[in-house]
Amino acid sequence: MTSSSSGGVFNPAYHDSETLEVDRRDKRSWTHHTNPYAGEDPAWWAERDDAEPGASSGGWRGGESFSMGLFSTSSGTNSWQHDANPHTPDSSSHYRSAAGLPSLMTGGMTMRWRGMAMRGMSMFPNADPTHAALAEDAIRSEVENEEQNLIKELIALSAGEQTRKIQELPQSFGEKKNIRRQVMAFKSSTNSHHFLCCTDCCRNMSLSFRRCGNGIKSARQTLKLWRGIMKEIGGRFGSSVLTYFLFLKWLLMFNIFSFLVNFGFITIPLLVHDLSANIPSNVSFRGLELLTGAGYFNYTVMYYGGYSNETLHGLVDYNMQLAYFFTIAVYMVLCGIVLIFSMASSFKKNYVLSDPASSRAWQLLCSWDFSLTNERAVRQRKNNLRVQLKESLSERAEKESITLSKELKQVGIHVGSWFLSTCLAVGCGASIFYLCQYGEEQAMDTAPWSLLQEAETLLVPFVVSLMNIVIPLFFSLFNKFERYSTHRRQIYALLIRNVLLRMSILGVLCYHWMNVVPQKYSCWEPMVGQALYRLVIIDFLFLMLGSFFGEFLSNVIGTKLQPRLGVPEFDVARNVLELVYAQTLAWIGIYFSPLLPAIQMLKFFILFYIKKVSLTRNCQPPRRSGRAAQMQTIFIFLLFFPFFVGALSIVAYTAWSLTPSEQCGPFQGLNNTFSVVSIWIHDLEAIPTSDWVVWIYQNVIRSELFYFLLTLIIIAIIYIFWQLTQGRKELINLLRQRIINVSLF
Amino acid sequence: MGNKQTIFTDEQLDAYQDCTFFTRKEILRLHGRYHELAPHLVPMDYTNEPECKIPLALIVDMPELKENPFRNRIVESFSEDGAGNLSFNEFVDMFSVLSETAPRELKAIYAFKIYDFNVDNYLCKEDLEKTLNKLTKEELTSEEVELVCEKTIDEADLDGDNKLSYSDFENMITRAPDFLSTFHIRI
């Protein structure tokens, strides 16, 4: 609980703030030293100390004691408040008068200590030199005292925690180095009392371990793709546009990992074992395969059908069935875990209780993007800020009175738009359904297919991508007519509609693949794999076209034809949704086509450069700043919740319930894919040393009781955490109220 | 670890890695950047910790800082003498706090320092007015400037002393999750 995430407790400035009433009686010395903005000074602390003789010695580590200290502090309030106000006006005036003291300028005291000392001086406006020297000595000794306390605190922590705490100290580098040196010296001296050689080599090991860790971090940095481009984009367009590119890079990593894993564990053993692909003689490579994925590719390792179900005998016995199943399963589970963790950390970092973007204070102090380095972008951002400030100033003057009829009209418009959007989404789904049916009637099971038949298979992906490009335009049109209370709600509404559209299309397609295709074809998994391949490729082509039309044409229209519209902005939400959809296709396709991640990798790689060029040539920086962090949380959540979970359920349903095809693939002849595991466990039963695996399988994985208990435990934990957050929220309100109450005196 | 470099000793690099948020490579790269700012002033060999400071005028000329409206305040906040002359340690410190991995609390402390033009530990009205003028190139009228600053203090001041102390500022920062990504300079 005292990790850096609960920054409040470990933040030294938090404890030193005059406006926050905290139980600081015991630990004032620790925190006093590390806050460069210590509003108090030693002499004043001494005064306060006398006022509270009966201080309770509550520890301050951990949030709970913090609150206890709060409620027990009732006597001290008057004394320190009374001191607070007369103290502060002096400091600014005496800052300059105390500058003449020579002794403070030397002696290696840094600016920050000097600042504190100056404030100390300001308590004695008529200081004569001896008096000043005494005060200065007192301050210096106090400062050293605090440093000692800090070092003692640091020694008590583990090495990793120590490093992190030192990194987070708000002091200059020289001071941090000093503290670190003292901590290390102390540690080594204490160690020398105990078993010398043991701790010596322990220390060397931990040092080399840390060096190794740093080396790995460095190595990972050299692999950092596109660092220069990201910097340029961030410099010209700001952080919110950069989130799209960071998201793209993150998804690319998923695909690279998937490709490496699949290629390494599934494809390479097969290739090593049997280099000759068994392609029938009447099939040759025609150019169309690159688009349709059928034909020649059908018989390669690209799809499920190219893999055999034997145990390969080479250096070791390699069970292809188990390898295929476990590789895909482990990859999906890892993806899920990574997504959950990043969603949770993003949520924790970016969750905000109210929308501050409308407040003036936020606009003034928190909205400036420090990463902007391009002169024109900076100028534009300054203009935007000025316009926003002017707008918000004038907004106060005119407040629109909303009549009942107007409101009813608004509600009517909302309902109408939602109805229309849902109809559009459902309509698209239905039309794809009938199109697929038509396509199935035309297709036949036996190879070879004529060129025309293969080209016909491109119809469905073409229509799907067309819908994905055109229908969102309608949604934006509806959006223009509606009026939302906040900009955020507008973006959410648009996002939900787009998600609905894509989910309905994907849902219909998956239904078709799970129910119709297995009945029709003898070797159905490669068929599904090909369908997905086509979807991915055509989607890529349309993304490029979309970039061309969406950004290039908008730019031309906005600058030459209709200057009123202006240069377009880069629509981050729409583009991120396209990325999420593309990744979902890849996730669904992994089971049916293990090398699909390779195509996806290429696709994202090329897409990055296309989008970058389109952005730099055609778009301007966004007019409304802010909200990038929250949008990022939403994007990761979107990636996880409907899309990844959907893909995982499709793959799980396929593995659990559908019968694998009889004649091709690694699972031929089995009832369902999952039975591979049962067979393996059955084989393991014969081997006495792996009893524990069998036990785990039978009593943990296959037993319903285990899952039931696990669910109960998780629900209980969630409930406890929920209550904790409720309690913390109430505490925040209480504290805020106390601040306001205290300041009223 | 792999390549031999003679700019820093290993202990120095360890100290840099432990006290800042940078890795070894980044520190060497930072040294390269620091050196390019003033090649005649900055030695290539830092093993005996030379005392050398680059003046403010050269540092604010860096492409990362050149267009930033607060460039002078940023450099002054990290300099020991308050006039903006940075030694290499302070240079590294500055970019470390402004890097991606620095935690919010640390960034909030320095952001407060940057906006505090008269270095009195509070964001008073004059500080806010100066901030606003830097952000809008002085194109707002003086009444508008005053109005905005008053509203800002109204909204953020919790203890009612008509200026923003550090805790008021920090309270506002916690409600602005974008702060971590906007208060970030890439080097």
Side-chain angles (χ1 to χ4, degrees), chain A residues 703-714:
Chain A
S703 83
E704 292 86 11
L705 187 63
F706 173 71
Y707 291 113
F708 182 64
L709 284 177
L710 193 67
T711 314
L712 275 184
I713 292 176
I714 290 180

mmCIF file with all atom_site columns, all heavy atoms in Angstrom, chain A residues 703-714:
data_model
loop_
_atom_site.group_PDB
_atom_site.id
_atom_site.type_symbol
_atom_site.label_atom_id
_atom_site.label_alt_id
_atom_site.label_comp_id
_atom_site.label_asym_id
_atom_site.label_entity_id
_atom_site.label_seq_id
_atom_site.pdbx_PDB_ins_code
_atom_site.Cartn_x
_atom_site.Cartn_y
_atom_site.Cartn_z
_atom_site.occupancy
_atom_site.B_iso_or_equiv
_atom_site.pdbx_formal_charge
_atom_site.auth_seq_id
_atom_site.auth_comp_id
_atom_site.auth_asym_id
_atom_site.auth_atom_id
_atom_site.pdbx_PDB_model_num
ATOM 1   N N   . SER A 1 703 ? -12.570 -29.967 -12.698 1.00 0.00 ? 703 SER A N   1
ATOM 2   C CA  . SER A 1 703 ? -13.584 -30.026 -11.645 1.00 0.00 ? 703 SER A CA  1
ATOM 3   C C   . SER A 1 703 ? -14.308 -28.695 -11.582 1.00 0.00 ? 703 SER A C   1
ATOM 4   O O   . SER A 1 703 ? -13.698 -27.635 -11.566 1.00 0.00 ? 703 SER A O   1
ATOM 5   C CB  . SER A 1 703 ? -12.934 -30.326 -10.304 1.00 0.00 ? 703 SER A CB  1
ATOM 6   O OG  . SER A 1 703 ? -12.426 -29.138 -9.737  1.00 0.00 ? 703 SER A OG  1
ATOM 7   N N   . GLU A 1 704 ? -15.618 -28.769 -11.500 1.00 0.00 ? 704 GLU A N   1
ATOM 8   C CA  . GLU A 1 704 ? -16.411 -27.539 -11.461 1.00 0.00 ? 704 GLU A CA  1
ATOM 9   C C   . GLU A 1 704 ? -16.279 -26.853 -10.112 1.00 0.00 ? 704 GLU A C   1
ATOM 10  O O   . GLU A 1 704 ? -16.394 -25.641 -10.012 1.00 0.00 ? 704 GLU A O   1
ATOM 11  C CB  . GLU A 1 704 ? -17.889 -27.851 -11.712 1.00 0.00 ? 704 GLU A CB  1
ATOM 12  C CG  . GLU A 1 704 ? -18.187 -28.309 -13.109 1.00 0.00 ? 704 GLU A CG  1
ATOM 13  C CD  . GLU A 1 704 ? -17.982 -29.810 -13.243 1.00 0.00 ? 704 GLU A CD  1
ATOM 14  O OE1 . GLU A 1 704 ? -17.826 -30.480 -12.197 1.00 0.00 ? 704 GLU A OE1 1
ATOM 15  O OE2 . GLU A 1 704 ? -17.984 -30.314 -14.378 1.00 0.00 ? 704 GLU A OE2 1
ATOM 16  N N   . LEU A 1 705 ? -16.051 -27.638 -9.076  1.00 0.00 ? 705 LEU A N   1
ATOM 17  C CA  . LEU A 1 705 ? -15.989 -27.075 -7.732  1.00 0.00 ? 705 LEU A CA  1
ATOM 18  C C   . LEU A 1 705 ? -14.882 -26.032 -7.635  1.00 0.00 ? 705 LEU A C   1
ATOM 19  O O   . LEU A 1 705 ? -15.037 -24.979 -7.027  1.00 0.00 ? 705 LEU A O   1
ATOM 20  C CB  . LEU A 1 705 ? -15.738 -28.208 -6.725  1.00 0.00 ? 705 LEU A CB  1
ATOM 21  C CG  . LEU A 1 705 ? -15.819 -27.782 -5.254  1.00 0.00 ? 705 LEU A CG  1
ATOM 22  C CD1 . LEU A 1 705 ? -17.216 -27.302 -4.942  1.00 0.00 ? 705 LEU A CD1 1
ATOM 23  C CD2 . LEU A 1 705 ? -15.436 -28.934 -4.351  1.00 0.00 ? 705 LEU A CD2 1
ATOM 24  N N   . PHE A 1 706 ? -13.762 -26.318 -8.285  1.00 0.00 ? 706 PHE A N   1
ATOM 25  C CA  . PHE A 1 706 ? -12.631 -25.399 -8.243  1.00 0.00 ? 706 PHE A CA  1
ATOM 26  C C   . PHE A 1 706 ? -13.009 -24.033 -8.801  1.00 0.00 ? 706 PHE A C   1
ATOM 27  O O   . PHE A 1 706 ? -12.739 -22.997 -8.208  1.00 0.00 ? 706 PHE A O   1
ATOM 28  C CB  . PHE A 1 706 ? -11.476 -26.004 -9.033  1.00 0.00 ? 706 PHE A CB  1
ATOM 29  C CG  . PHE A 1 706 ? -10.330 -25.081 -9.204  1.00 0.00 ? 706 PHE A CG  1
ATOM 30  C CD1 . PHE A 1 706 ? -9.507  -24.739 -8.147  1.00 0.00 ? 706 PHE A CD1 1
ATOM 31  C CD2 . PHE A 1 706 ? -10.057 -24.506 -10.444 1.00 0.00 ? 706 PHE A CD2 1
ATOM 32  C CE1 . PHE A 1 706 ? -8.445  -23.878 -8.301  1.00 0.00 ? 706 PHE A CE1 1
ATOM 33  C CE2 . PHE A 1 706 ? -9.003  -23.654 -10.606 1.00 0.00 ? 706 PHE A CE2 1
ATOM 34  C CZ  . PHE A 1 706 ? -8.201  -23.341 -9.544  1.00 0.00 ? 706 PHE A CZ  1
ATOM 35  N N   . TYR A 1 707 ? -13.646 -24.054 -9.961  1.00 0.00 ? 707 TYR A N   1
ATOM 36  C CA  . TYR A 1 707 ? -14.012 -22.776 -10.580 1.00 0.00 ? 707 TYR A CA  1
ATOM 37  C C   . TYR A 1 707 ? -15.036 -22.041 -9.745  1.00 0.00 ? 707 TYR A C   1
ATOM 38  O O   . TYR A 1 707 ? -15.012 -20.818 -9.627  1.00 0.00 ? 707 TYR A O   1
ATOM 39  C CB  . TYR A 1 707 ? -14.556 -23.003 -11.994 1.00 0.00 ? 707 TYR A CB  1
ATOM 40  C CG  . TYR A 1 707 ? -13.493 -23.468 -12.927 1.00 0.00 ? 707 TYR A CG  1
ATOM 41  C CD1 . TYR A 1 707 ? -13.523 -24.747 -13.457 1.00 0.00 ? 707 TYR A CD1 1
ATOM 42  C CD2 . TYR A 1 707 ? -12.428 -22.650 -13.247 1.00 0.00 ? 707 TYR A CD2 1
ATOM 43  C CE1 . TYR A 1 707 ? -12.520 -25.173 -14.289 1.00 0.00 ? 707 TYR A CE1 1
ATOM 44  C CE2 . TYR A 1 707 ? -11.437 -23.070 -14.077 1.00 0.00 ? 707 TYR A CE2 1
ATOM 45  C CZ  . TYR A 1 707 ? -11.481 -24.338 -14.588 1.00 0.00 ? 707 TYR A CZ  1
ATOM 46  O OH  . TYR A 1 707 ? -10.485 -24.764 -15.413 1.00 0.00 ? 707 TYR A OH  1
ATOM 47  N N   . PHE A 1 708 ? -15.946 -22.806 -9.141  1.00 0.00 ? 708 PHE A N   1
ATOM 48  C CA  . PHE A 1 708 ? -16.970 -22.203 -8.307  1.00 0.00 ? 708 PHE A CA  1
ATOM 49  C C   . PHE A 1 708 ? -16.329 -21.489 -7.128  1.00 0.00 ? 708 PHE A C   1
ATOM 50  O O   . PHE A 1 708 ? -16.630 -20.335 -6.821  1.00 0.00 ? 708 PHE A O   1
ATOM 51  C CB  . PHE A 1 708 ? -17.923 -23.302 -7.852  1.00 0.00 ? 708 PHE A CB  1
ATOM 52  C CG  . PHE A 1 708 ? -19.056 -22.804 -7.033  1.00 0.00 ? 708 PHE A CG  1
ATOM 53  C CD1 . PHE A 1 708 ? -19.996 -21.954 -7.558  1.00 0.00 ? 708 PHE A CD1 1
ATOM 54  C CD2 . PHE A 1 708 ? -19.183 -23.183 -5.706  1.00 0.00 ? 708 PHE A CD2 1
ATOM 55  C CE1 . PHE A 1 708 ? -21.040 -21.497 -6.799  1.00 0.00 ? 708 PHE A CE1 1
ATOM 56  C CE2 . PHE A 1 708 ? -20.220 -22.728 -4.938  1.00 0.00 ? 708 PHE A CE2 1
ATOM 57  C CZ  . PHE A 1 708 ? -21.158 -21.883 -5.481  1.00 0.00 ? 708 PHE A CZ  1
ATOM 58  N N   . LEU A 1 709 ? -15.419 -22.198 -6.447  1.00 0.00 ? 709 LEU A N   1
ATOM 59  C CA  . LEU A 1 709 ? -14.738 -21.588 -5.301  1.00 0.00 ? 709 LEU A CA  1
ATOM 60  C C   . LEU A 1 709 ? -13.931 -20.376 -5.729  1.00 0.00 ? 709 LEU A C   1
ATOM 61  O O   . LEU A 1 709 ? -13.931 -19.332 -5.067  1.00 0.00 ? 709 LEU A O   1
ATOM 62  C CB  . LEU A 1 709 ? -13.804 -22.616 -4.652  1.00 0.00 ? 709 LEU A CB  1
ATOM 63  C CG  . LEU A 1 709 ? -14.495 -23.664 -3.804  1.00 0.00 ? 709 LEU A CG  1
ATOM 64  C CD1 . LEU A 1 709 ? -13.475 -24.653 -3.273  1.00 0.00 ? 709 LEU A CD1 1
ATOM 65  C CD2 . LEU A 1 709 ? -15.220 -23.013 -2.644  1.00 0.00 ? 709 LEU A CD2 1
ATOM 66  N N   . LEU A 1 710 ? -13.236 -20.506 -6.861  1.00 0.00 ? 710 LEU A N   1
ATOM 67  C CA  . LEU A 1 710 ? -12.422 -19.390 -7.353  1.00 0.00 ? 710 LEU A CA  1
ATOM 68  C C   . LEU A 1 710 ? -13.290 -18.166 -7.605  1.00 0.00 ? 710 LEU A C   1
ATOM 69  O O   . LEU A 1 710 ? -12.935 -17.042 -7.234  1.00 0.00 ? 710 LEU A O   1
ATOM 70  C CB  . LEU A 1 710 ? -11.719 -19.815 -8.647  1.00 0.00 ? 710 LEU A CB  1
ATOM 71  C CG  . LEU A 1 710 ? -10.604 -18.909 -9.141  1.00 0.00 ? 710 LEU A CG  1
ATOM 72  C CD1 . LEU A 1 710 ? -9.454  -18.953 -8.178  1.00 0.00 ? 710 LEU A CD1 1
ATOM 73  C CD2 . LEU A 1 710 ? -10.145 -19.358 -10.509 1.00 0.00 ? 710 LEU A CD2 1
ATOM 74  N N   . THR A 1 711 ? -14.443 -18.401 -8.236  1.00 0.00 ? 711 THR A N   1
ATOM 75  C CA  . THR A 1 711 ? -15.340 -17.270 -8.506  1.00 0.00 ? 711 THR A CA  1
ATOM 76  C C   . THR A 1 711 ? -15.786 -16.611 -7.207  1.00 0.00 ? 711 THR A C   1
ATOM 77  O O   . THR A 1 711 ? -15.820 -15.389 -7.084  1.00 0.00 ? 711 THR A O   1
ATOM 78  C CB  . THR A 1 711 ? -16.571 -17.758 -9.278  1.00 0.00 ? 711 THR A CB  1
ATOM 79  O OG1 . THR A 1 711 ? -16.144 -18.596 -10.322 1.00 0.00 ? 711 THR A OG1 1
ATOM 80  C CG2 . THR A 1 711 ? -17.352 -16.600 -9.825  1.00 0.00 ? 711 THR A CG2 1
ATOM 81  N N   . LEU A 1 712 ? -16.129 -17.435 -6.228  1.00 0.00 ? 712 LEU A N   1
ATOM 82  C CA  . LEU A 1 712 ? -16.568 -16.869 -4.942  1.00 0.00 ? 712 LEU A CA  1
ATOM 83  C C   . LEU A 1 712 ? -15.471 -16.020 -4.310  1.00 0.00 ? 712 LEU A C   1
ATOM 84  O O   . LEU A 1 712 ? -15.704 -14.909 -3.839  1.00 0.00 ? 712 LEU A O   1
ATOM 85  C CB  . LEU A 1 712 ? -16.927 -17.998 -3.979  1.00 0.00 ? 712 LEU A CB  1
ATOM 86  C CG  . LEU A 1 712 ? -18.346 -18.545 -4.082  1.00 0.00 ? 712 LEU A CG  1
ATOM 87  C CD1 . LEU A 1 712 ? -18.558 -19.577 -2.998  1.00 0.00 ? 712 LEU A CD1 1
ATOM 88  C CD2 . LEU A 1 712 ? -19.348 -17.425 -3.932  1.00 0.00 ? 712 LEU A CD2 1
ATOM 89  N N   . ILE A 1 713 ? -14.256 -16.557 -4.336  1.00 0.00 ? 713 ILE A N   1
ATOM 90  C CA  . ILE A 1 713 ? -13.148 -15.811 -3.719  1.00 0.00 ? 713 ILE A CA  1
ATOM 91  C C   . ILE A 1 713 ? -12.941 -14.490 -4.440  1.00 0.00 ? 713 ILE A C   1
ATOM 92  O O   . ILE A 1 713 ? -12.760 -13.437 -3.819  1.00 0.00 ? 713 ILE A O   1
ATOM 93  C CB  . ILE A 1 713 ? -11.856 -16.657 -3.750  1.00 0.00 ? 713 ILE A CB  1
ATOM 94  C CG1 . ILE A 1 713 ? -12.003 -17.858 -2.835  1.00 0.00 ? 713 ILE A CG1 1
ATOM 95  C CG2 . ILE A 1 713 ? -10.667 -15.819 -3.317  1.00 0.00 ? 713 ILE A CG2 1
ATOM 96  C CD1 . ILE A 1 713 ? -10.830 -18.777 -2.876  1.00 0.00 ? 713 ILE A CD1 1
ATOM 97  N N   . ILE A 1 714 ? -12.980 -14.540 -5.791  1.00 0.00 ? 714 ILE A N   1
ATOM 98  C CA  . ILE A 1 714 ? -12.754 -13.303 -6.544  1.00 0.00 ? 714 ILE A CA  1
ATOM 99  C C   . ILE A 1 714 ? -13.851 -12.292 -6.248  1.00 0.00 ? 714 ILE A C   1
ATOM 100 O O   . ILE A 1 714 ? -13.593 -11.093 -6.085  1.00 0.00 ? 714 ILE A O   1
ATOM 101 C CB  . ILE A 1 714 ? -12.665 -13.609 -8.053  1.00 0.00 ? 714 ILE A CB  1
ATOM 102 C CG1 . ILE A 1 714 ? -11.375 -14.347 -8.337  1.00 0.00 ? 714 ILE A CG1 1
ATOM 103 C CG2 . ILE A 1 714 ? -12.723 -12.339 -8.862  1.00 0.00 ? 714 ILE A CG2 1
ATOM 104 C CD1 . ILE A 1 714 ? -11.184 -14.691 -9.776  1.00 0.00 ? 714 ILE A CD1 1
#
